[in-house]
């Protein structure tokens, strides 16, 4: 292997001449196109079978009657006053959540990008924990903080469980890391000497930032804002728990129409509306990403990091630490506190009762959900790495609209209704050769759909940073695309691959929207178990939900701390 690598390295600068003798650029282009199509084949097939077909089946079942399409139902559904209220609230709260998240998180992005301080890696992991937590756990944490009988209710009589503010704060809690990582990752690579030059020419600190740094950051800020809007527009678990019957997003309404009212025509129309909105957001997001990749000259991130200097910078660091404490640590701390606060004082009562199935919420002890979730997440991570790795390798070979469309396809599961996908699994994967409704693999497949975009977005920037001449030299020496990947790319992207695996594992653990439909009653996952417990009356069920949420939070936190040990200042990516 070492000999092969040395031959590739020595031949990297000589790749063009041998390629010309072996058939010229035409043959090379054809070989590259064939390799790209081969890499795309499995991901395209995976998304076609496990994403496009289930979604199309739900839409068709809702809009078809007696074998003919009834598109008039779209106008009928959208003309209903209650549906218009759902559309208005979905859009309004997403815009408000996005603006509030940017306002609170941009100072944190600057601190992580420019400052070096003790505990930085731990703090980065802490602010990322909420993002990989299930939305149902986020809702549970804020319910324990601001809901009826929550900490604020006990101390000051403040109760926000059925108000918009509780939902907005939960969304900021969930998406804080999106802004910090997306904007901070680019900010750390901007050359600080440009802003310093503006200061030397007489510009104030604010003017220098507004005229020099902000325009350079605009693509990253736009990309982060679009992702936050996407996640809050399709919010499910947090709104379902905190909003009550008065507030519903499109995702919550799709679940209600599908699972509770069995009104598939209305659910199908809402799915189409959400799909169109998500497609538009992803198209704009792809444009901002391409602009960010092509329009900036970046420097080594480590060169721009320094210890805070002066009262102003230390005050900014203190403000960010206080924000993280109040926004992230306080809700999570209350979640842990509630899990130990039993009827007879603090203890392990709720954790101990997880071993019993006597409560009636499950056919098996609730603690079995931990093992189920871990097993499902491992399998889902393996699937996501294979599909996402092949997709990222295909996207590395830049091309035209075909590859851009493929890139957009990979992002769709992040925004399309997971409820629709889960219900679509049940009505499409019920006949040979894919009769999977009674198979355990159905849950990991649904979780992998959500994990693949994180694998692609984590690995793609690193793969594109690999010198393409190395691949060309490997091809000239007769290496197949698979061997070129194994010998050239894999050693260089191994760290990014591990980070992608960690993110996929954490996200798979927290998937709820699709899993709630397809998880068997005797094999619940942690998020499904939490939701079922919260849906039942009684202090015991509430305490067990807090205990399971705490366990899930700890597992995610440990995974992210391990990821931070792998992360370096040179590591780039979108998450």
């Amino acid at each position: 292997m070492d000999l092969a690598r040395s031959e590739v390295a020595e031949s990297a600068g000589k790749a063009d001449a041998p390629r010309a003798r072996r058939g010229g650029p035409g043959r090379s282009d054809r070989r590259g196109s064939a390799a790209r199509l081969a890499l795309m084949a499995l991901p395209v097939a995976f998304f076609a079978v496990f994403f496009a077909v289930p979604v199309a089946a739900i839409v068709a079942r809702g809009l078809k009657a007696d074998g003919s399409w009834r598109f008039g139902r779209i106008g009928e559904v959208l003309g209903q006053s209650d549906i218009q209220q759902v559309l208005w609230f979905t859009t309004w709260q997403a815009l408000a959540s996005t603006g509030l998240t940017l306002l609170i998180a941009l100072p944190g992005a600057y601190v992580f990008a420019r400052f070096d301080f003790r505990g930085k890696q731990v703090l980065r992991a802490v602010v990322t924990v909420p993002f990989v937590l299930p939305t149902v756990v986020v809702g549970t944490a804020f319910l324990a903080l601001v809901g009826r009988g929550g900490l604020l209710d006990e101390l000051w009589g403040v109760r926000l469980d059925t108000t918009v503010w509780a939902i907005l704060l939960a969304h900021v809690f969930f998406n804080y890391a999106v802004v910090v990582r997306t904007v901070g990752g680019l900010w750390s690579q901007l050359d600080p000497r440009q802003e310093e030059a503006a200061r030397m020419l007489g510009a104030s600190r604010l003017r220098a930032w507004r005229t020099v740094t902000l325009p350079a950051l605009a693509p990253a800020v736009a990309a982060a804002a679009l992702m936050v809007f996407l996640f809050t527009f399709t919010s499910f678990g947090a709104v379902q728990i905190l909003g009550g019957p008065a507030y519903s997003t499109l995702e919550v309404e799709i679940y209600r129409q599908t699972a509770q009212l069995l009104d598939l025509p209305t659910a199908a129309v809402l799915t189409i509306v959400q799909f169109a909105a998500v497609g538009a957001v992803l198209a704009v997001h792809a444009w901002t990403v391409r602009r960010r990749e092509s329009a900036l000259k970046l420097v080594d991130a480590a060169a721009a990091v320094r210890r805070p200097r002066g009262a102003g910078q230390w005050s900014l660091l203190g403000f960010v630490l206080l924000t993280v404490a109040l926004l992230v640590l306080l809700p999570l701390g209350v979640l842990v506190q509630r899990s130990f606060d039993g009827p007879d004082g603090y203890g392990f009562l709720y954790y101990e009762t997880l071993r019993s199935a006597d409560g009636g919420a499950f056919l098996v002890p609730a603690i079995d959900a931990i093992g189920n979730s871990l097993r499902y997440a491992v399998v889902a991570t393996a699937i996501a790495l294979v599909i996402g790795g092949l997709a990222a390798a295909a996207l590395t070979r830049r091309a035209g609209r075909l590859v851009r469309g493929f890139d957009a396809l990979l992002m769709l599961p992040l925004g399309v209704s997971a409820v629709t996908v889960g219900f679509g699994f049940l009505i499409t994967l019920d006949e040979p050769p894919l009769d999977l409704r009674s198979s355990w693999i159905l849950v990991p497949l649904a979780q992998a759909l959500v994990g693949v975009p994180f694998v692609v977005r984590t690995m793609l920037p690193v793969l594109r940073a690999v010198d393409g001449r190395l691949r060309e030299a490997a091809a000239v020496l007769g290496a197949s695309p698979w061997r070129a990947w194994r010998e050239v790319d894999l050693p260089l992207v191994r760290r990014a691959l591990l980070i992608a695996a960690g993110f996929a594992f954490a996200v798979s653990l927290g998937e709820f929207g699709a899993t709630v439909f397809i998880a068997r009653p005797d094999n619940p996952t942690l998020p499904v178990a939490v939701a079922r417990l919260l849906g039942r009356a009684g202090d015991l069920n509430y305490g067990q939900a807090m205990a399971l949420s705490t366990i899930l939070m700890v597992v995610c936190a440990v995974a992210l701390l391990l990821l931070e040990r792998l992360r370096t200042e040179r590591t780039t990516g979108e998450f």
Side-chain angles (χ1 to χ4, degrees):
M1 181 180 295
D2 293 336
L3 179 59
R5 288 179 188 168
S6 65
E7 289 177 352
V8 169
E10 291 172 1
S11 302
K14 305 177 183 179
D16 291 338
R19 184 177 60 213
R21 291 195 298 267
R22 295 181 181 219
R27 178 177 177 180
S28 176
D29 291 342
R30 288 193 298 271
R31 184 172 182 178
S33 298
R36 181 166 53 250
L37 291 175
L39 290 170
M40 291 170 58
L42 184 59
V44 168
F46 178 80
F47 274 81
V49 173
F50 298 112
F51 178 72
V53 171
V55 172
I58 288 292
V59 173
R61 181 163 294 196
L63 296 182
K64 263 189 173 182
D66 299 325
S68 60
W69 291 92
R70 294 185 57 189
F71 292 104
R73 286 178 173 174
I74 297 178
E76 295 173 4
V77 171
L78 296 183
Q80 300 174 16
S81 59
D82 55 337
I83 297 300
Q84 292 175 356
Q85 180 65 30
V86 169
L87 291 173
W88 163 248
F89 176 73
T90 300
T91 305
W92 181 90
Q93 64 82 25
L95 290 171
S97 297
T98 301
L100 191 61
T101 303
L102 289 175
L103 180 66
I104 295 176
L106 282 176
Y110 175 78
V111 165
F112 280 103
R114 294 297 196 215
F115 292 170
D116 181 27
F117 53 91
R118 183 173 297 179
K120 182 178 178 179
Q121 287 187 342
V122 174
L123 188 64
R124 196 196 310 272
V126 167
V127 301
T128 310
V129 166
F131 181 70
V132 298
L133 284 178
T135 54
V136 66
V137 174
V138 174
T140 304
F142 275 83
L143 190 65
L145 178 63
V146 302
R148 180 178 289 104
L151 180 65
L152 297 185
D153 188 18
E154 289 183 353
L155 295 179
W156 299 294
V158 177
R159 187 182 303 164
L160 302 174
D161 55 314
T162 57
T163 69
V164 175
W165 275 109
I167 296 173
L168 296 182
L169 290 175
H171 285 163
V172 175
F173 168 88
F174 183 76
N175 292 293
Y176 186 88
V178 176
V179 177
V180 168
R181 285 184 173 267
T182 303
V183 179
L186 178 63
W187 208 335
S188 66
Q189 294 178 289
L190 294 181
D191 193 343
R193 293 173 296 181
Q194 296 178 1
E195 189 172 327
E196 293 170 1
R199 294 289 309 281
M200 292 180 64
L201 292 174
S204 64
R205 185 181 298 275
L206 177 60
R207 184 179 180 185
W209 181 82
R210 179 170 53 85
T211 58
V212 177
T213 304
L214 183 58
L217 283 177
V221 173
L226 288 167
M227 291 307 297
V228 173
F229 181 85
L230 178 66
F231 291 137
T232 53
F233 188 85
T234 58
S235 181
F236 178 45
V239 176
Q240 187 182 38
I241 291 175
L242 295 172
Y247 300 102
S248 292
T249 57
L250 270 174
E251 186 82 355
V252 174
E253 189 64 19
I254 291 171
Y255 175 78
R256 190 174 76 90
Q257 296 289 342
T258 302
Q260 298 176 5
L261 303 180
L262 298 179
D263 187 351
L264 287 184
T266 299
V269 171
L270 296 181
T271 297
I272 293 173
V273 172
Q274 182 165 303
F275 189 86
V278 166
V281 171
L282 290 178
V284 179
H285 178 266
W287 177 78
T288 61
V289 169
R290 289 197 301 272
R291 182 182 172 194
R292 181 177 57 180
E293 288 178 347
S294 60
L296 298 173
K297 182 178 180 181
L298 306 178
V299 299
D300 183 3
V305 177
R306 62 178 184 271
R307 297 279 296 176
R309 293 179 296 184
Q313 293 187 355
W314 281 107
S315 297
L316 180 60
L317 176 59
F319 169 78
V320 170
L321 293 176
L322 180 62
T323 300
V324 173
L326 294 177
L327 181 66
V328 179
L329 295 180
L330 181 60
L332 295 181
V334 173
L335 183 69
V336 176
Q337 180 262 334
R338 294 297 185 194
S339 72
F340 289 102
D341 188 8
D344 299 323
Y346 288 96
F348 293 92
L349 172 65
Y350 296 135
Y351 291 90
E352 292 171 353
T353 55
L354 293 176
R355 301 178 182 178
S356 173
D358 295 338
F362 307 100
L363 299 178
V364 294
I367 200 170
D368 287 2
I370 301 173
N372 295 335
S373 289
L374 292 175
R375 287 191 295 271
Y376 289 148
V378 169
V379 177
T381 300
I383 296 172
L385 285 179
V386 172
I387 302 298
L390 290 173
L395 292 171
T396 304
R397 294 159 170 82
R398 298 180 183 272
R401 295 179 181 177
L402 176 63
V403 171
R404 288 198 296 270
F406 178 57
D407 193 7
L409 169 69
L410 298 173
M411 293 291 290
L412 283 177
L414 290 182
V416 173
S417 170
V419 171
T420 301
V421 175
F423 194 64
F425 271 27
L426 295 181
I427 66 174
T428 56
L429 303 179
D430 60 343
E431 296 179 357
L434 288 176
D435 186 4
L436 302 178
R437 284 197 300 181
S438 60
S439 173
W440 64 271
I441 196 64
L442 205 59
V443 173
L445 287 171
Q447 294 174 345
L449 278 173
V450 184
V452 167
F454 290 90
V455 174
V456 174
R457 299 265 75 84
T458 302
M459 295 186 62
L460 188 55
V462 181
L463 283 171
R464 284 179 174 168
V466 176
D467 192 342
R469 294 175 300 175
L470 295 175
R471 299 190 192 99
E472 294 174 1
V476 168
L477 293 173
S480 64
W482 164 245
R483 186 177 181 187
W485 159 260
R486 190 181 72 240
E487 299 285 349
V488 177
D489 293 82
L490 183 59
L492 298 174
V493 302
R494 186 179 290 113
R495 185 186 296 269
L497 186 65
L498 292 174
I499 293 175
F503 266 111
F505 180 80
V507 170
S508 298
L509 275 178
E511 205 289 319
F512 174 66
T515 308
V516 72
F517 269 95
I518 58 181
R520 294 166 57 91
D522 56 343
N523 285 293
T525 64
L526 276 170
V528 172
V530 170
R532 289 181 185 172
L533 288 167
L534 287 176
R536 296 172 63 90
D539 292 338
L540 179 61
N541 290 316
Y542 179 82
Q544 287 180 327
M546 296 295 165
L548 283 178
S549 297
T550 300
I551 292 171
L552 182 53
M553 179 194 68
V554 170
V555 173
C556 292
V558 170
L560 285 169
L561 284 172
L562 293 176
L563 291 184
E564 287 304 318
R565 293 183 65 87
L566 293 172
R567 188 184 186 277
T568 66
E569 292 297 335
R570 292 178 177 268
T571 302
T572 59
E574 297 199 29
F575 294 101

